[in-house]
Amino acid sequence: MNPFDLTGRVALVTGANTGIGQGIAVALAEAGADVALAGRSSAEETAGLVRAAGRRAALIAADLSTIAPVGDVVESTLAELGGLDILVNNAGIIRRSDAVDFSEADWDAVVDTNLKSVFFLCQAAGRHMIGQGRGKIVNIASMLSFQGGIRVPSYTASKSGVAGLTKLLANEWAAKGVNVNAIAPGYIATNNTAALQADAQRNRAILERIPAGRWGAPADLGGAAVFLASSASDYVNGHILAVDGGWLAR
Ligand code: NAP
């Protein structure tokens, strides 16, 4: 018996066409899960990687800047893959500007996508998981679930909110067989951090602070995601697992 085995499980991953979502979707497939890929851009490439791992993939078009598609995302996963055991709330955006200049539009866009849609997807998936007495929810948090950051007020608010929400849902659902946890990635080389990577000064400062001495890659999140999606984590509830090359230990 391998407690990390996901054979026969169905996972739903949002924002899986690229970056961390793609890395997690592929890791879940390699551990045995079939994977529904929900997002606003086509995740054909990721679907190909899931199928290459011998698993089924379903593509679900959904713009999660509002909660309008949430019910359909869960229903489509159930209809196309026959179940829903794992939800990974990965889709997210960031907007950068000094706090004194920060616009309402940049506040709403980030909080709506990163926090509101995350909660209502947890709710929709959670209703199904509570009904079957079993489920795993993995939210993607951030270093800015612990720290303040700079020039990203709505992102910090949203990711701090994701950490709090993860703990609230764990409190309500742990006894119902649903584990709700989060992964807090450190500095991972993706589109989300392209501006930081391109800024020579920030890039150097970030690298100097990371004990591991390198940016993370999307594949670095795979092990933590499989752990939190599998029965290996059945007694882990409301935890925010940092995968950060030691950033928070510094
Ligand atoms: P990314 O490459 O920009 O990926 C973000 C994903 O979210 C993309 O698939 C994107 O789709 C999707 N998305 C954004 N808005 C959406 C919407 N309205 N509807 C549906 N999908 C939407 O960045 P990433 O770094 O992999 O980010 C993934 C998650 O990790 C985010 O929640 C981010 O905050 C978090 N995170 C990243 C880091 C890091 O260092 N990279 C650190 C901590 C946390 P499109 O391709 O269509 O934009």
Side-chain angles (χ1 to χ4, degrees):
M1 289 294 287
N2 172 3
F4 297 93
D5 185 18
L6 299 179
T7 304
R9 301 284 160 83
V10 173
L12 165 60
V13 184
T14 66
N17 57 301
T18 182
I20 290 170
Q22 183 176 65
I24 287 176
V26 171
L28 296 178
E30 287 172 346
D34 296 323
V35 191
L37 310 161
R40 64 183 175 183
S41 301
S42 172
E44 273 296 351
E45 183 184 282
T46 309
L49 296 170
V50 168
R51 292 182 188 119
R55 309 300 163 190
R56 293 181 300 155
L59 292 166
I60 301 171
D63 181 346
L64 294 166
S65 60
T66 76
I67 66 168
V70 161
D72 179 59
V73 166
V74 170
E75 289 308 316
S76 297
T77 303
L78 292 168
E80 293 196 36
L81 296 178
L84 177 56
D85 305 292
I86 300 155
L87 166 66
V88 181
N89 271 311
N90 167 78
I93 57 171
I94 193 164
R95 298 278 169 84
R96 298 175 198 279
S97 173
D98 291 343
V100 287
D101 299 324
F102 210 77
S103 70
E104 184 178 3
D106 282 345
W107 179 272
D108 287 345
V110 172
V111 172
D112 285 355
T113 303
N114 294 13
L115 187 57
K116 185 174 180 181
S117 290
V118 166
F119 171 69
F120 283 98
L121 257 177
C122 286
Q123 183 188 63
R127 285 174 177 154
H128 172 79
M129 291 173 178
I130 288 166
Q132 69 186 8
R134 179 171 57 86
K136 300 278 182 177
I137 295 178
V138 183
N139 294 323
I140 301 303
S142 165
M143 294 295 96
L144 303 190
S145 301
F146 303 99
Q147 303 177 306
I150 186 165
R151 304 187 73 247
V152 287
S154 57
Y155 187 80
T156 301
S158 70
K159 293 298 186 177
S160 297
V162 164
L165 186 60
T166 298
K167 290 181 248 188
L168 172 132
L169 293 173
N171 290 338
E172 292 200 21
W173 296 349
K176 300 178 191 295
V178 180
N179 297 74
V180 188
N181 292 289
I183 294 171
Y187 284 80
I188 313 298
T190 67
N191 299 334
N192 173 293
T193 50
L196 294 179
Q197 296 168 66
D199 179 332
Q201 208 177 340
R202 287 297 304 279
N203 192 25
R204 195 178 326 109
I206 287 166
L207 279 175
E208 281 171 2
R209 225 210 100 142
I210 302 174
R214 65 171 176 86
W215 284 75
D220 286 315
L221 284 309
V226 170
F227 167 60
L228 292 176
S230 71
S231 61
S233 62
D234 279 353
Y235 201 58
V236 179
N237 300 92
H239 187 66
I240 317 297
L241 176 53
V243 180
D244 65 351
W247 174 273
L248 289 178
R250 196 75 167 207

